[in-house]
Amino acid sequence: MRSAYTGRLAPSPTGLLHLGHVATFLTAAQRAHLQNGTLLFRNDDLDHERCRPEFTNAAKEDLSWLGINWHSEPYIQSRRISLYRDAFSQLRAAGWLYPCTCSRRVIAAALNAPHPIDEEPVYNGHCRPTSPTVFPEQNLRVNWRFRIPQAELLSFDDGCQGLQQAVAGEMFGDFLVWRKDGFPSYQLASALDDMLLNITEIVRGADLITSTFRQLLLWRSLGHSPPAFYHCTLLADDSGRRLAKTHHSLAIKTLRDRGFSPEEVRALALNAPRIPLTH
Ligand code: GLU
Ligand code: ZN
């Protein structure tokens, strides 16, 4: 019988998987397996400029080669836009969202999960209404932000990192929910999928902890209680910096081509040096 545990693998097909991904995905697979649970595959392909189908295929191939398996067909975010639209409407009608006409510079990255280099800056509040307001939907040619509860202390108990706390407005501000080009932000798409797919535990990199606080607000505003979280400590490269997709030499594909076995790659990922959490 299927246990209640449901986890997910959620790669973004913007490059080849590297050891850092493997460490996280191995953990996700192990935790699902231990609970006799279900593991889903979600293709985070909303960034039409950076995502490529060949990277989705490469990710599936690398994961299968490593012995990481998932249940059912992948969920493809680019085919789920109408679901995100409905959630957007619900949040808007409840007064959580407001249109923002500020510069385009900050908007560019909103389709991707923010990792340290592209973390969404704290918004200066220029377009923020003084109180919750229901704005008409007609103005879809602008970006929409979530009006966070300023100064509220948010917390969650992380399965790997322990108690995590953040004050709304300090580590993150009013974040983007919908882009004027018709796409939901990563925050909305990820949180909504996790709700709709009944994910019980989210396993992902510790660099997404700030996003988790944003998503906790989305869960609450959409009337759901949040799942459990397990944020994996990030891997360091030789110089102690965070591994990035651009470290091509550590791509799983490269290691495979060099003759490494799945066991060896798994061991490399599990034994690699880690970057301690700094906040
Ligand atoms: N696709 C995201 C990334 O690669 C991860 C999203 C998530 O786990 O919520 O960073
Ligand atoms: Zn604005």
Side-chain angles (χ1 to χ4, degrees), residues 76-113:
I76 303 169
Q77 288 197 321
S78 61
R79 301 204 187 140
R80 297 168 63 80
I81 304 289
S82 64
L83 297 169
Y84 310 133
R85 248 331 279 277
D86 292 346
F88 164 81
S89 298
Q90 196 183 326
L91 290 167
R92 185 197 55 79
W96 289 110
L97 307 183
Y98 63 90
C100 171
T101 51
C102 296
S103 89
R104 289 195 272 127
R105 200 172 42 85
V106 292
I107 313 299
L111 294 173
N112 297 307

Side-chain angles (χ1 to χ4, degrees), residues 8 10-12 42 44 113 115 186 190 203-204 208 245:
R8 82 309 197 266
S12 298
R42 186 180 90 194
D44 285 6
H115 299 291
Y186 154 74
S190 184
V203 177
R204 59 185 170 200
L208 288 174
K245 264 183 190 161

Side-chain angles (χ1 to χ4, degrees), residues 98-103 123-128 143 145:
Y98 63 90
C100 171
T101 51
C102 296
S103 89
Y123 180 56
N124 65 17
H126 181 264
C127 302
R128 180 188 167 103
N143 300 295
R145 290 184 186 276

Side-chain angles (χ1 to χ4, degrees), residues 108-157:
L111 294 173
N112 297 307
H115 299 291
I117 33 162
D118 47 23
E119 187 52 71
E120 186 174 338
V122 175
Y123 180 56
N124 65 17
H126 181 264
C127 302
R128 180 188 167 103
T130 47
S131 57
T133 310
V134 179
F135 288 90
E137 201 162 328
Q138 79 256 21
N139 197 357
L140 280 176
R141 303 302 301 166
V142 292
N143 300 295
W144 290 73
R145 290 184 186 276
F146 187 94
R147 193 174 180 286
I148 58 161
Q150 272 303 345
E152 182 181 329
L153 177 65
L154 300 167
S155 63
F156 66 95
D157 200 4

Side-chain angles (χ1 to χ4, degrees), residues 237-271:
D237 65 11
D238 292 339
S239 53
R241 284 187 309 244
R242 174 178 180 270
L243 278 187
K245 264 183 190 161
T246 44
H247 285 87
H248 195 71
S249 59
L250 294 166
I252 307 314
K253 175 87 172 53
T254 312
L255 297 171
R256 286 170 63 182
D257 292 348
R258 288 207 197 127
F260 281 79
S261 69
E263 294 70 33
E264 286 167 331
V265 172
R266 285 201 295 264
L268 278 177
L270 294 175
N271 300 325

Side-chain angles (χ1 to χ4, degrees), residues 37-88:
T38 303
L39 190 63
L40 305 178
F41 185 103
R42 186 180 90 194
N43 187 10
D44 285 6
D45 66 340
L46 288 179
D47 187 348
H48 36 99
E49 270 165 30
R50 292 178 54 217
C51 293
R52 293 210 243 122
E54 54 267 40
F55 289 133
T56 302
N57 292 334
K60 288 181 186 164
E61 220 178 279
D62 285 344
L63 290 170
S64 302
W65 180 79
L66 283 161
I68 299 176
N69 300 305
W70 53 92
H71 297 80
S72 77
E73 282 301 300
Y75 291 85
I76 303 169
Q77 288 197 321
S78 61
R79 301 204 187 140
R80 297 168 63 80
I81 304 289
S82 64
L83 297 169
Y84 310 133
R85 248 331 279 277
D86 292 346
F88 164 81

